[in-house]
Amino acid sequence: MSTTYAANKTLPLRVEIVRQFKRRRTMVMFGLMLALPWILVIAFKVGPQSNNPGNALRISDLASAGALNFAAFSLSVSVFLLVVAVALFCGDTVASEANWSSLRYLLAAPVPRDRLLRQKLIVAMGYAAAAVISMPLMALLAGTLAFGWDDIQVPGTGETIPAMDALPRFAIVIGYALVCQLVTGALAFLLSTMTDSPLGAVGGAVGLWIVCQILQAVEALGVIREFLPTFWNNAWLDAIAPEPDYSGMAKGVAISITYAALLIALSFRRFRHKDVVS
Amino acid sequence: MKRMAALVVALAVLGVTVWLVWPSGPGVQGQEQRITVVDGPNDDQKVDLDTTFFPPAQGGKAPAVLLAHGFGSAKESMRNQARQLAEAGYAVLTWSARGFGKSTGQIALNSPDYEVKDVKQLIDWLAKRPEVLLDKEGDPRVGMAGGSYGGAISLMTAAYDDRVDAIVPQITWYDLADALFPNGTGQGPESGVFKKAWAGFFFGRGGIAQGSGLQGGLEALNRQVQPLSPEEARCGRFLPEICDVYQQIASTGKATPEAVALLRKSSPVSVQGRIKAPTLLIQGQRDSLFTLAQADGNARAVAGPVQVMWFDGGHDGGNGEVDYLYEKTLGWLDRWLKQQPQPEGPAFSVTRDGGRDPGTRQRIRLHPETAQYPGLSGTMTTPVELRGPEQNIVNPPGGTPPSISTVPGVGGLLGGGGSGGGGQSNLSVSLDMPGQSAVFESAPLTRPLQLTGGASAKIRVYGKGEVTLFGKLYDVSDSLQPPNLPSGQISPVKVTIPEGADSVEATITLPVVDYLFPAGHRMRLALTTTDMGFSTPAEPASYRVALADPALAVPSVKGLSEPPPGLAWWVWAMPLAAIVVAAAVLATGRTRRARAGTASDVPLEITGLTKAYSNGFKAVDDLSFRVEQGQVLGLLGPNGAGKTTTMRMMMGLIHPDGGTIRIFGEEVTPGAPVLSRLGSFVEGPGFLPHLSGRENLDLYWAATGRPASEAHFDEALEIAGLGNAINRAVRTYSQGMRQRLAIAQAMLGLPDLLVLDEPTNGLDPPQIREMREVLKRYAQDGRTVIVSSHLLAEVEQTCSHVVVMHRGKLVSEGPVARLLATSNGHGPRLEDVFLDLIGEK
C-alpha cells in the first residue's frame, strides 16, 4: 500500500530542472546567450569605426564606450533573441512532454494537473529568466574586458552617468526586460498546454510577438497601440538617461502583468479540463 | 467551442473594420457669398470680397470665427480648418483678402485704410446672420485666426475694432519694417540689413501665382503661367504706392523713412496697447521671415490677455504640428468665445524635442510651459566664455559667393510648413564661405545648456564706414559632425564706424531660438560678411573682428518644463483587475472533486462509464465491469472498441461523460491520490529521449514524490532486461527496448493494480513468453493485472478473466474458461467465441 504518496511532493522542482537541463536545446540556448556578447565584441573590434554624420548619438555609436554602454547596446539589439529564448523555454515545456508521451505517465503517477503546470511554469520561467539575465551580465563582462569599465554615456546627448549610479538602474533595466517577456512566456505556456507540438507553441508565441511589432508600426491605430503587449518593450531606454523616466516602464509592467495573469489563468483552467490524448 | 471562439473573433474583427471604414456623414457645406465692402482712406472704394460662410454644424446661434488666409493664397486654403471649426460649433467665415483670389481690389498689406476696413464690414455682415451669436445689436461674438498675412490682419482688426473677442495670429509680424530690415544691434530698420530673398519672395507672390499659399508647394509650380500686362508684370496686384516703395527699397537695399512709415502702418507696432482681445500668439521656431522676436513684440503690444507659443514650424518648414496648433487654437476660442471653463493656460510654451516615445521610440515633441512669459532675455543668464583671436575677414566684391543659412521657400516646398502636411524638413543648408567668417568658440560645455531667447555678445569691429555682419551661434559637437546652426537662424548686424575712429564696439543680439547645447559640445559664435538671403555691400572690404567681452550671455528660462503626466489610471487598475479575473477564472474552473469513497479491496469497479468525443462518437457506452484481486484480466476487443479510452479514463487522463471508475473504492479523477496504486502502460512508451533509461526511471520515480526505497528498481530493471543499454540515451533504443522499459516503469513501486495496453507489441516470441510469465507471477502476489489486447491467443494464455468490448459496449465478461464453455458450437477457441460475440460471424 502506498501510503507514502503525497500530492504536494510530486514533481519536485529539482526533478523538473534536471529533466530539462540535460536537453540539447537548453544548452544551445544558453550557449547562444553567452556567446552573443562576444560575437558583438568581435564585430566591434573587427568592423570599421562608424562615423555617424547625424546629430544624435545613437546607442550603437556608443556601444564601444564602455561595459555599461556595451551591455545596453547588446540588450537593445537582442530583443528578438530574448523573445525566442523565453518562448522556447515556456512553449516547449508541456508540449514536448505531450510529444514524447511522457505527459500521461506523469499525470498518472499521479502528479495533479495544477501542480504539474505550476512546477513546469516555475522551472520554465526560471530557465527563461536565467537566459534573459545571463546575456546582459555576460555583455557586462565582455564589455569590461573589451572596452573597459567606464561611466555610461547617454545616447542622444552624450552625457555621462557615473557607473555606480547607472549600475542599480541597469538592474532595473534587466528586471524590466524580464517583466516584458512575461507575456511571451505566458502565451507560449498557454499554447504549450493546448498543442502536442513544441514548435507550434514556440512559433505561435514568437508569431504573436511579430504581429504585435507590425501592428505597433501602424500609426493609425493611435492609442490602441499602447495596449499591445510589445509596445513598451523598449521603454527601458528611458532609464538610461540623465533624468530617468519610469512612466513608460510602469505602463509596460502593467500591460505585461495584465496579459500574463490572464493567459496563465487560462492555461491552468484549460489544462484542468483537457482530455489528455497524446 | 473552438469554432464558436473563432466566429466571435471573426465577427469582432469585421465589426471593427466596418466601424473604421464606415464613411462619415457629409461635412459642413460652405455657402459662397460675394460681399461688397467700401474702403480706402476716404471710404469711397468698392471692393467685392469672395467669401464662404460655414454655418455651425449643430445649428442654433454660435460664436463666429473669421479665418484669414496667408499671403499669396486665398480663402480656399482655409476650407479644411473652417470645416473643423464649424463641426466644433462655430459659424466660420473665410474670405479672400482684397487683391487675392477672386476678390477685387489691390493688395494694401493689411493697411488700416483698406483691409482692416474690409474686415470690419465682414463683422457687420456676420452681425446680421441668424446663425451668429450677438453680444449686443451689431456686435457679434467673433474671433479671428490665421497665419502670416492672415495673422497680421487678425492683430490689426482687433486693434481697430473692439468687437473682436479673441484672436489667434500665427507666424506673423510685429513690425514689417523690422522683419524686412533686421538689425541685431537694435538700432532699428533704418540701419537694418535688407532681407532681400524673403522680401522678393513675398512681393513676388503678390498677384502673379494666385491661389497658392506662401508655402503653396509643387502645385503652384505646375500651373500654366498666364501672360501678363506690363503693369501686372511690374506690380502684380499691389497697390501702386506699395509697389513703388518696394521697388525703391529692393533696388537700393536701404529702408527710407517713408518705406518704414508705410510698413509700420500695416504693423501691430503702430497700434501698441490697442489690442484688447485675448491673443494667442503662435510663432514658428523655424522662421527666418517672421522670427520669434516678432512674436515678442506682439506679446508686448497686446493689452489684453496674451499667450505665446513657439512651435516646431514656421516659414522655413519644420513639422508644422498641425493637430497640436488646431487643438490649441480651438482651446483658445472655446475659452474666450464660448466662455467654456478651460484650465488656466500657461503664458508661454515651447515645442521641444522630447526624445523618443517610450513605446514607439519615435521622436516626440514636448511642450514645456511657464506661467509667465519670460521675453527674449530669459529668467536667468549664463555667461559662456568664448575664445578666439582678432580675425581678418573680407567682404568679397559683389558680395559673392555668399554664405548660406536658410533658403526662403525651400523649407516650405519640402516640408509643407505651417500650411499643412506633417513632413519633417530639418534640412540644414548652412554653409560659411572661407575667409568671410570670424569664429569664436567656447570650451566644451561641462553640462547641457538650454538657450531660450536671444544670446548676446559684445564685439569690436575694425574697418571703415558701414560694416554688415551676420551673427550665428553654432552647436559644434566634434570634428566628425558638421556644426549645427540651430533652426538655421542668423542675426544680421550693421554697425557704422564713426569718422576718425578705427573701430566700434557693438552689443549684438543673436537669433532667438530654443535650443539645447549638449554637454561636451562647444558653442561657436561666427560673424560672417555675407548671406545669400540678404543684401550686402558690393564693394570689397576687409575688416578685423574681435571680442570686446569674452562672455557670451546665454538666456535660459527657469521652470520651463512640461508637467509630468500623472500615472494613467489603468497602469495600476488593469493589472489588479487582471489578477482578480485570473483568480476568478481559476476558482470557477475547478474540476469536480471526487465523491468520497470508502476504501475497499476491489481493485477496479467501473459503473455506467460513458465517453463521447466531440463529434458525437461514443467511444465508451455505458460500460460496467468489476475486477477482483489477483485476477489477470484481459480486455479484449477489436480496434476502436474503446479499450484504450477506458484505460485512459482509469488513469484520469480523460474526463468521462458519465459513470464512475473506482480503484480500491476511490473514485478516479485527474490526479486522484489513488492513482499512485496504479501502474500503467498505455499506447506506447513515453520517455525523455535525451536521458538514459536509468535516468528516466529515476526521474519518473522522483516525480511521484515517493521514497526511492519503495521503487524496487532492481525488479523493474530485471523486467526491462536492458543490460548495459540502460545507461544509453533512450533515443538510441529499439521499439522493443522502449516497450520493456515502459513496462518496467509501470511496475515501479510494484503497484497493486497494473494496467497494460498491448504489452507484447514489438516483442519477439521469447520475450512475449517471458512477459506472460512476469504478468502471471505479478498477479500471484495478490496484485491485479489488466491487459488489453487484440491478440486472442495472448489473452487465452495469460489471463484468468476476460472482458470483451465492442463499439464501446461490454459484450461479455467472466473467466476465460467459462467464456470458452459458452461457445455455441463454433469450437473451443477463444477466437471463435470472440468473433461470435461481436457478431462478425
Side-chain angles (χ1 to χ4, degrees), chain B residues 672-752:
Chain B
V674 74
L675 289 173
S676 65
R677 297 177 68 181
L678 175 87
S680 50
F681 167 70
V682 174
E683 266 196 318
F687 294 109
L688 278 57
H690 54 281
L691 298 178
S692 71
R694 183 186 293 278
E695 285 169 326
N696 261 296
L697 292 192
D698 284 349
L699 288 171
Y700 171 78
W701 188 254
T704 66
R706 293 162 63 186
S709 57
E710 287 181 15
H712 302 275
F713 280 115
D714 295 341
E715 282 104 315
L717 289 178
E718 199 181 318
I719 286 161
L722 291 174
N724 285 331
I726 195 76
N727 293 319
R728 289 206 326 247
V730 166
R731 76 169 84 83
T732 65
Y733 286 13
S734 70
Q735 171 68 24
M737 288 161 85
R738 290 182 199 194
Q739 180 98 355
R740 297 203 307 273
L741 187 68
I743 293 168
Q745 175 176 292
M747 290 183 178
L748 275 182
L750 303 179
D752 298 316

Side-chain angles (χ1 to χ4, degrees), chain B residues 71-72 99-100 107 203-210 228 235-238:
Chain B
F71 199 83
F100 291 101
I107 301 164
F203 189 81
R205 304 305 290 253
I208 298 164
Q210 288 294 350
L228 304 168
C235 285
R237 295 175 70 178
F238 277 99

